[in-house]
């Protein structure tokens, strides 16, 4: 499983900047052995962090 905020073409271009042709070869191998899925929507990472922090604080307050 691979995850990225970039499209395949964007990744290819970024890796090709480092070494010409390397990004193309890499993306060809990834595409050949993968099913591409685009996930859309808002990120919940920050919201989950806040929720977890609040839960932890409530648990800690019970033990004081």
């Amino acid at each position: 499983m691979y995850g990225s905020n970039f499209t395949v073409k964007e990744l290819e271009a970024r890796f090709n900047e480092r070494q010409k042709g390397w990004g193309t070869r890499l993306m060809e191998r990834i595409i050949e052995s993968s099913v591409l899925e685009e996930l859309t929507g808002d990120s919940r990472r920050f919201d989950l962090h806040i929720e977890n922090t609040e839960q932890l604080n409530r648990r800690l307050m019970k033990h004081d």
Side-chain angles (χ1 to χ4, degrees), residues 2 12-13 34 40 42 45 47 49 54-56 61-62:
Y2 305 97
E12 179 181 359
S34 303
T40 59
D42 295 331
R45 288 183 190 104
D47 294 337
H49 169 71
E54 289 172 350
Q55 286 179 8
L56 179 60
M61 295 301 250
K62 286 182 182 179

Side-chain angles (χ1 to χ4, degrees), residues 4 9 12 16-17 28 34 37 39-40 43 53 55 60:
S4 177
K9 287 293 183 188
E12 179 181 359
N16 277 337
E17 287 174 4
E28 287 173 349
S34 303
E37 293 287 336
L39 304 176
T40 59
S43 174
T53 301
Q55 286 179 8
L60 291 172

